[in-house]
């Protein structure tokens, strides 16, 4: 319990509102405005986490997205977020947090003995060890031990994060002084300015370091800029993390806590002002709890009054840390500044300053008690490190930007003109307030010098030096990788897992790179950098999925008459993207049998509205359809309909349906329900690319019409009773008005019985339904679902494209060889029908099957004698209530005998080959 | 996600578009031999670098010519088919 709460400091906490949370079952007190990390620092134990591989004790180290240690599974308002970074989680009352990767708690972790084995498990240990005997032997146990947080199955995560698309003239990412200055400049040139800030407050380092901007106290500057952005019509998104930069300037950002929104913003200009991350230092034992980044300590002190320790050592090489030391001393801590440099500014008041101090090691086990500089041990409970700064250039690199090594700044900085963003402030290598304001165009001013004396991991140091804290990569692992030849940074990363953790190597990538360059005697630019990929910070999968799950994952098309069908007892299923009645009644299977029987005996009515209806209109319509269909349609007389097949250029059957010629220059193409959209584009293609698009137009009017089909021997009687015209020949259509509404009746049949497709404008659908229902009660009959319709059409051997055909079925395989032999004009797919494969004698043909039992759809047809091989497969199979026997359709190689074997579930049964049409083969019922 | 310029609708999101074919691939008419026909059906060149392609804007239903760099994904222009 080394951290403590200062009695007065803390600009962002409200001491009148105390909060209580539970971390690893221990009570943690804090205030409104605290983050989980600041509350832990101010009141909690030091060991709050365990490291990933060695299960070493760890404490809070940073204050933002760079935090490598303080990961928790956080439960708030009934929702558990795994692997939440304590530094970014606002403290709320009743919040529960569990340390990840530790059982039962971080303090008493049962797996802490693993650290004793560290010599036996260096980098690459898995690759070298678990290959013997096969990885699957070890995988279950290792998987159980590996990984970080756990999802809590008893709580449901948010899955309702909506995506919002937005555009603005200028998007500024980062609400620190550089970002605010960029916003101010953009406002001067006009246009809307949006600003994204990851924390809850604007101001960045100004909030803890203070300062003046352009003659204004910083809070006034921040407030004025905030107001100006809002006044221009812009927006400020706080608690928002810009997680990815994509093509054409798209920025994805996740806004949390108050509102959950997944933003997709397309700005004209983007300014990147994401600042920089402080580098740690690399003494032995630099991961012991109590070792913290210097800027983090400053931040916690000023914003939350959370003081990181009582006896504090601050190891630095830059003037920038002097303000930190001064603030901590003023707050009452005992502060010793240990500067790497010989030439330093004067010691701040109350601070002991030591010069030319080389930090060698940190002493302690579960908590540090001192550190050694220049072979001299100094007692302390806290060590603050400042090893320099690494610009946060992830989004710049994601947008295609390159980096240059700037030796003067000791950092990789964005190369101007390579990404599509303008990078400013610390992200651009402009460190400190004074330099940032000069960069933003304000006159020169004075401030602390942020240059630092270069610090690098020293391979000669004895003991274990942590490079990547989150993935437990030590300096020895990096030099091992170098020795074993993994010298490319991309190999180094994969071999040691350096920088692959959820902190994305913010504190470690640079150190790893520097260590590798040293181990291989190369410069840093020669060593290169790894690729930055989205997300910049971890975001939940539920955010990426957004509302696209459950019913909204793939929303179904709904019938206008869904309510009416429901009230008649319909059950619904999805058919080709439409939610349609499968049967009317509780038991789908037996209802379908009853319905199929009734439809043959009296009359059945079904909703055929999803059937595609494409109006093809104009003097060029006949020529277009002749080309687009396998079946000739220009010879069709107005008022008549014809069954037609549509092929693609490869000769494969793409769709089938009835084409009606309403008038000389007006056709209606009925496409399969699931295919209407696609068929439209098969027609659009030649319309735009081959014919004169001025002479023919295509309109998809599927949703404009409600179609109810009346089928069965008493269909005429039912239509009569409803007052509908029935004077229509088979394969003909009539158009008239009925009760003042336009009605189109087509006598075309999918069932083999007399059928009338009655279509009215969708707005009149309910009236038609009511009239047919009233007539049905008089005449008898039944509403029938799609399952019954499927039985009826299979009895007749009518195919469903895609079910009874596959990606190799040509029209002559289905018995429609006529046009292929007769048509001499050009049509889609013609050339493909005469290739060697298309004319082969063993092509699969559509047949019917007669068997004792209902066959399994998909079962293979096999020869009864000789070696077993597939001759084809069952495509549709039903119990026929009208024939009182199982029926099936199948595709089978030509040359089969009159009997075939049906191979299913390891056994072969026999089936007799019949024509596809099993019911009323002469078509006398039509 | 990229933005594609439809000559009729302006800049729209990539998801609204479908690739149709490489531009300038004439359909062999008459009775082409199997090799020429197969080449037309399956022989997309997929050139590296500057390429002119026919794309479909599914929301307005228009096919159009799109010139782009298949390497850098830079869109250089679009025009109506006629």
């Amino acid at each position: 319990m080394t951290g403590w709460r200062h009695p007065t400091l803390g600009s962002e906490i409200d001491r009148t509102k105390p909060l209580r949370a539970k971390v690893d079952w221990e009570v943690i007190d804090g205030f409104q405005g605290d983050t989980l990390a600041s509350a832990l620092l101010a009141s909690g134990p030091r060991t709050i986490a365990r490291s990933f591989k060695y299960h070493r004790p760890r404490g809070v180290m940073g204050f933002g997205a760079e935090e490598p240690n303080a990961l928790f599974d956080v439960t708030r308002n009934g929702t558990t977020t795994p692997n939440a970074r304590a530094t970014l989680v606002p403290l709320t009352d009743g919040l529960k947090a569990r340390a990840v990767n530790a059982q039962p708690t971080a303090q008493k972790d049962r797996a802490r003995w693993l650290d004793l084995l560290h010599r036996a498990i260096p980098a690459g240990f898995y690759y070298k060890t678990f290959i013997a005997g096969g990885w699957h032997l070890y995988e279950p146990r290792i998987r159980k031990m590996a990984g970080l947080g756990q999802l809590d199955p008893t709580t449901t995560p948010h899955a309702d994060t909506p995506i919002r698309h937005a555009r603005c003239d200028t998007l500024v990412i980062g609400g620190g002084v550089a970002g605010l200055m960029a916003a101010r400049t953009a406002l001067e040139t006009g246009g809307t300015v949006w600003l994204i800030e990851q924390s809850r407050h604007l101001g960045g380092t100004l909030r803890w370091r203070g300062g003046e901007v352009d003659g204004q106290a910083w809070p006034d500057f921040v407030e004025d800029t905030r107001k100006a952005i809002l006044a221009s019509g812009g927006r400020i998104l706080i608690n928002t993390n810009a997680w990815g930069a994509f093509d054409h300037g798209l920025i994805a950002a996740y806004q949390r806590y108050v509102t959950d929104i997944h933003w997709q913003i397309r700005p004209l200009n983007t300014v990147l002002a994401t600042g920089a991350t402080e580098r740690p230092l690399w003494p032995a034992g630099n991961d012991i709890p109590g070792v913290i980044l210097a800027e983090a300590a400053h931040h916690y002190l000023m914003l939350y009054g959370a003081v990181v320790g009582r006896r504090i050592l601050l190891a630095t090489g830059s003037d920038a840390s002097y303000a930190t030391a001064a603030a901590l001393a003023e707050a009452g801590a005992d502060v010793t500044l240990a500067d790497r440099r010989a030439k330093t500014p004067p010691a701040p008041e109350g601070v002991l300053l030591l010069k030319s101090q080389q930090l060698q090691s940190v002493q302690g086990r579960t908590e540090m008690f001192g550190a050694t500089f220049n072979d001299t041990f100094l007692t302390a409970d806290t060590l603050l490190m400042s090893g320099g700064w690494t610009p946060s250039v992830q989004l710049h690199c994601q947008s295609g930007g390159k980096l240059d090594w700037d030796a003067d700044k000791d950092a990789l900085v964005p190369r101007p003109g390579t990404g599509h963003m303008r990078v400013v402030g610390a992200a651009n290598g402009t460190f400190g307030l004074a330099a940032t304001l000069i960069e933003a165009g304000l006159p020169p001013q004075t401030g602390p010098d942020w240059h630092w004396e270069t610090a690098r991991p020293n391979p000669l140091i004895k003991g274990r030096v942590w490079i990547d804290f989150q993935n437990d990569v030590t300096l020895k692992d990096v030099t091992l990788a170098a020795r074993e030849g993994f010298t490319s940074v991309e190999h180094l990363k994969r071999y040691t897992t350096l920088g692959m953790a959820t902190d994305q190597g913010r504190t470690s990538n640079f150190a790893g790179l520097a260590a590798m360059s040293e181990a291989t005697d190369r410069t840093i630019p020669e060593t290169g950098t790894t690729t930055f990929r989205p997300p910049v910070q971890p975001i939940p999968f539920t955010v990426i999925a957004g509302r696209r799950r459950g019913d909204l994952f793939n929303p179904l098309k709904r019938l206008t008459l869904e309510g009416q069908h429901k009230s008649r007892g319909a059950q619904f299923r999805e058919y080709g993207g439409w939610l349609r009645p499968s049967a009317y009644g509780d038991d789908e299977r037996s209802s379908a049998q009853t319905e199929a029987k009734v439809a043959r005996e009296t009359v059945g009515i079904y909703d055929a509205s999803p059937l595609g209806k494409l109006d093809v209109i104009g003097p060029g319509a006949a020529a277009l359809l002749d080309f687009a269909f396998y079946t000739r349609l220009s010879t069709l007389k107005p008022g008549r309909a014809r069954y037609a097949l549509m092929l693609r250029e490869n000769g494969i059957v793409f769709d089938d349906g009835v084409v009606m010629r309403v008038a000389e220059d007006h056709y209606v193409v009925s496409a399969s329900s699931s295919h209407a959209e696609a068929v439209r584009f098969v027609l659009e293609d030649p319309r735009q690319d081959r014919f004169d698009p001025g002479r023919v137009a295509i309109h998809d009017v599927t949703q404009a019409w409600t179609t109810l089909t009346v089928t069965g021997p008493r269909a005429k009687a039912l239509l009569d009773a409803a007052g509908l015209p029935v004077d229509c020949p088979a394969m003909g259509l009539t158009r008239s008005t009925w009760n003042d509404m336009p009605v189109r009746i087509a006598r075309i049949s999918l069932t083999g019985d007399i059928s009338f497709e009655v279509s009215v404008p969708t707005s009149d659908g309910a009236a038609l339904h009511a009239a047919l229902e009233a007539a049905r009660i008089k005449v008898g009959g039944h509403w029938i679902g799609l399952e019954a319709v499927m039985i009826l059409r299979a009895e007749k051997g009518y195919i469903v494209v895609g079910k009874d055909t596959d990606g190799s079925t040509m029209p002559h395989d289905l018995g429609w060889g006529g046009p292929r032999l007769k048509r001499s004009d050009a049509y889609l797919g013609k050339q493909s029908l005469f290739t060697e494969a298309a004319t082969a004698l063993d092509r699969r043909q559509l047949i019917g099957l007669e068997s004792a039992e209902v066959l399994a759809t998909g079962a293979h047809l096999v020869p009864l004698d000789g070696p077993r091989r597939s001759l084809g497969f069952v495509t549709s199979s039903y119990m026929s209530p009208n024939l009182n026997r199982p029926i099936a359709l199948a595709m089978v190689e030509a040359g089969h005998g009159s009997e075939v074997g049906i191979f299913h579930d390891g056994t072969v049964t026999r089936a007799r080959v019949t024509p596809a049409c099993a019911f009323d083969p002469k078509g006398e019922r039509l | 996600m990229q933005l594609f310029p439809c000559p009729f609708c302006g800049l729209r999101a990539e998801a609204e578009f479908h690739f149709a074919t490489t531009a300038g691939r004439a359909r062999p008419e008459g009775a082409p031999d199997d090799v020429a026909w197969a080449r037309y059906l399956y022989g997309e060149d997929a050139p590296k670098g500057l390429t002119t392609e026919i794309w479909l804007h599914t929301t307005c239903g228009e096919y159009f010519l799109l010139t782009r760099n298949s390497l850098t994904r830079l869109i250089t222009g679009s025009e109506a088919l006629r």
Side-chain angles (χ1 to χ4, degrees), chain A residues 360-412:
Chain A
Q360 292 158 311
S361 60
V362 183
Q363 275 70 41
R365 252 179 125 67
T366 54
E367 194 160 336
M368 69 163 279
F369 54 81
T372 305
F373 291 84
N374 296 0
D375 294 328
T376 308
F377 174 76
L378 299 173
T379 311
D381 56 35
T382 306
L383 173 72
L384 303 183
M385 313 178 280
S386 180
W389 297 85
T390 302
S392 300
V393 293
Q394 291 92 340
L395 288 169
H396 164 76
C397 292
Q398 282 178 23
S399 75
K402 301 273 182 285
L403 300 176
D404 279 329
W405 172 248
D406 188 326
D408 180 44
K409 288 174 172 163
D410 190 36
L412 286 157

Side-chain angles (χ1 to χ4, degrees), chain A residues 601-642:
Chain A
E601 284 166 359
T602 55
V603 60
I605 316 172
Y606 65 93
D607 194 331
S609 306
L611 209 62
K613 290 172 274 286
L614 302 171
D615 271 336
V616 181
I617 301 175
L624 171 65
L625 293 182
D626 261 356
F627 179 75
F629 277 90
Y630 171 68
T631 317
R632 258 198 108 104
L633 294 165
S634 56
T635 52
L636 193 61
K637 298 216 160 37
R640 306 291 296 178
R642 186 172 288 169

Side-chain angles (χ1 to χ4, degrees), chain A residues 246-248 250 266 627 649-650 680-681 684-685 688-693 826-829 831-832 835-836, chain B residues 1-3 13 27-32 34 37 40-42 56-58 60-63 73 75 81-82:
Chain A
F246 299 92
D247 294 327
H248 288 198
L250 176 71
R266 286 190 190 277
F627 179 75
E649 284 285 38
N650 56 12
R680 180 191 154 203
F681 287 116
E684 279 290 353
D685 193 332
Q688 292 182 36
D689 197 28
R690 187 180 181 93
F691 295 93
D692 179 357
Y827 57 88
L828 263 184
Q831 281 79 355
S832 297
T835 61
E836 205 182 312
Chain B
M1 188 178 288
Q2 283 194 282
L3 294 180
R27 183 181 195 265
E29 299 293 338
D34 285 357
W37 182 244
Y40 168 70
L41 282 186
Y42 306 113
L56 166 65
H57 188 206
T58 54
C60 76
E62 293 291 332
Y63 289 83
R73 308 174 77 185
I75 309 275
L81 273 186
R82 66 182 81 205

